[in-house]
Amino acid sequence: MHAFSHGTTSSTAVAVPPSVALPVIEDSFSRQLHPYWPKLQEKTRQWLLEKRLMPADKVREYADGLCYTDLMAGYYTGAPDEVLQAIADYSAWFFVWDDRHDRDRVHGRVGDWRRLRHRLHAALDAPRHHLHHPDPLVAGFADSVLRLYSFLPRTWNQRFAGHFREVIEAYDREFRNRTAGYVPKVEEYLALRRLTFAHWIWTDLLEPSAGCELPDAVRKHPAYHRAALLSQEFAAWYNDLCSLPKEIAGDEVHNLGISLITHEGLTLEEAVEEVRRRVEECIAEFLDAERDALRFARELADGTPRGRELSAAVRASVGYMRNWFSSVYWFHHESGRYMVDSWDDRSTPPYVNNEAAGDE
């Protein structure tokens, strides 16, 4: 079976391998794209160069094909242009950070990773003071965080920072697991994955995209929370399904399929089928949760200006959650990040910088 998307970076149709094709996504989750996308791609490419987050030759050769801006432009489709630009730059930074984390582990750069971890915590506290840090990854992070902090009140900034601290520490746990060759058991892995995939960061970013900070009573309401969680679980598990060959080649230990093989005794084929089953179940559960969340949005519209504002923000956020399914799905089949069969070395992505950052 082959399904085709109308790709954003190429006029060539993209075939989806049968093992990871999801007809329900192709048929029931229409693909949206923010109208600012072409400018977004250009500006994020420039930002990567200006912040020295990728070598110039790699930006020229790989940045557009990695489709990082496509992923965000397909998610937060109603965000103001400046909000989407800040999110897209932050997302591109996140992928570069993920690659640095991987390369530090592959090359045994324990000290480099430890220093980077502490510097990112410090940059969350005082991003303005880290804008000119000699490590481009720290300076780029400070720049993107400072911009994200400008859209909503301090309470949102503090929540975002708290959630990202958890992500940093989860990445450290992954670093230590890989160093020890430790494969987490399934439930342990799923809990860790919610942090390393940054479930609550991407959910936090729904709010500046919708132009409204949501109070705890709304964010933590079961209808809203469940829909948000399911949209992120789908993304994380589908990523595991598509990146399993890449991660086996790279001697990874963090993948739902790898946990199932190691601890549940499944064959590779059985693990792929089980991850796929969980992904499909997640989609079905989201469709129910989406109805509940939209009902909750209607209930918030109590005739007051505040009620109308919250109702509109929740309705917009739930729409973005739906967009995440199609955006994630097509990203995995258009981005060069997962095309391991085209790499010279299946364990070394061609777009990464293998050099150490150094202890500046």
Side-chain angles (χ1 to χ4, degrees):
M1 170 185 175
H2 291 282
F4 298 94
S5 81
H6 299 291
T8 51
T9 58
S10 170
S11 59
T12 305
V14 177
V16 179
S19 61
V20 292
L22 297 173
V24 65
I25 297 294
E26 295 158 15
D27 297 341
S28 303
F29 289 78
S30 60
R31 192 177 192 186
Q32 310 292 322
L33 197 66
H34 198 291
Y36 180 67
W37 171 76
K39 194 70 174 175
L40 183 74
Q41 184 185 52
E42 176 187 333
K43 287 196 168 186
T44 295
R45 191 191 316 118
Q46 291 172 352
W47 186 77
L48 288 168
L49 281 169
E50 289 167 6
K51 298 302 176 185
R52 298 180 296 118
L53 288 165
M54 292 174 67
D57 61 328
K58 292 189 183 295
V59 171
R60 282 194 301 271
E61 188 169 357
Y62 298 109
D64 289 354
L66 288 168
C67 302
Y68 296 158
T69 55
D70 306 39
L71 181 64
M72 294 297 117
Y75 186 9
Y76 305 101
T77 53
D81 292 355
E82 65 273 17
V83 173
L84 184 62
Q85 187 66 65
I87 292 173
D89 291 350
Y90 168 74
S91 170
W93 174 89
F94 202 113
F95 281 112
V96 175
W97 177 52
D98 184 74
D99 293 334
R100 169 84 72 84
H101 173 265
D102 175 67
R103 293 296 96 185
D104 280 352
R105 168 75 290 282
V106 167
H107 295 290
R109 299 191 293 244
V110 177
D112 287 336
W113 165 250
R114 186 182 300 119
R115 282 185 288 274
L116 178 58
R117 171 191 166 207
H118 292 311
R119 287 166 178 170
L120 293 180
H121 277 297
L124 274 172
D125 289 332
R128 197 175 301 278
H129 295 154
H130 289 77
L131 289 173
H132 304 291
H133 194 282
D135 184 340
L137 206 64
V138 177
F141 178 63
D143 178 81
S144 61
V145 165
L146 192 63
R147 288 155 63 201
L148 292 173
Y149 280 179
S150 71
F151 300 121
L152 291 176
R154 181 182 297 272
T155 45
W156 183 91
N157 297 347
Q158 291 172 336
R159 171 164 35 103
F160 179 91
H163 284 156
F164 198 75
R165 290 192 195 287
E166 293 179 334
V167 174
I168 295 169
E169 292 309 297
Y171 263 68
D172 186 55
R173 224 176 311 155
E174 279 206 349
F175 194 96
R176 287 182 279 116
N177 286 348
R178 288 182 69 184
T179 299
Y182 173 71
V183 179
K185 293 182 180 178
V186 173
E187 291 307 314
E188 179 189 359
Y189 169 74
L190 293 176
L192 181 62
R193 186 65 164 140
R194 291 183 186 116
L195 297 174
T196 57
F197 198 80
H199 281 24
W200 305 118
I201 291 293
W202 308 119
T203 302
D204 285 339
L205 290 169
L206 294 169
E207 294 168 62
S209 299
C212 178
E213 181 185 17
L214 298 177
D216 284 356
V218 173
R219 287 189 306 105
K220 296 180 179 179
H221 189 281
Y224 183 88
H225 185 272
R226 182 167 177 257
L229 176 62
L230 286 166
S231 73
Q232 294 298 326
E233 296 281 57
F234 163 79
W237 299 348
Y238 192 68
N239 176 268
D240 279 7
L241 183 64
C242 293
S243 63
L244 187 55
K246 170 178 178 268
E247 293 182 342
I248 289 175
D251 201 25
E252 248 289 5
V253 295
H254 298 100
N255 185 292
L256 180 53
I258 292 171
S259 290
L260 289 165
I261 291 166
T262 303
H263 296 291
E264 306 291 333
L266 273 59
T267 65
L268 175 60
E269 293 74 16
E270 290 168 340
V272 167
E273 191 56 39
E274 173 59 15
V275 176
R276 183 189 173 94
R277 184 194 67 77
R278 290 179 185 235
V279 165
E280 291 175 335
E281 189 175 79
C282 193
I283 299 168
E285 289 182 8
F286 174 79
L287 293 173
D288 288 337
E290 180 185 39
R291 285 190 286 271
D292 292 341
L294 290 173
R295 187 181 307 115
F296 174 52
R298 290 193 294 272
E299 292 168 357
L300 287 169
D302 58 4
T304 65
R306 179 59 168 163
R308 286 194 295 273
E309 179 187 40
L310 291 176
S311 177
V314 168
R315 196 164 56 250
S317 296
V318 174
Y320 300 155
M321 293 175 199
R322 165 174 273 270
N323 291 343
W324 196 218
F325 285 80
S326 58
S327 191
V328 164
Y329 182 76
W330 292 115
F331 170 69
H332 280 85
H333 304 299
E334 294 175 351
S335 173
R337 194 171 179 87
Y338 304 100
M339 296 179 182
V340 291
D341 290 336
S342 67
W343 302 352
D344 291 336
D345 177 355
R346 289 171 61 89
S347 67
T348 305
Y351 48 83
V352 300
N353 182 8
N354 277 291
E355 299 299 318
D359 186 19
E360 297 100 336

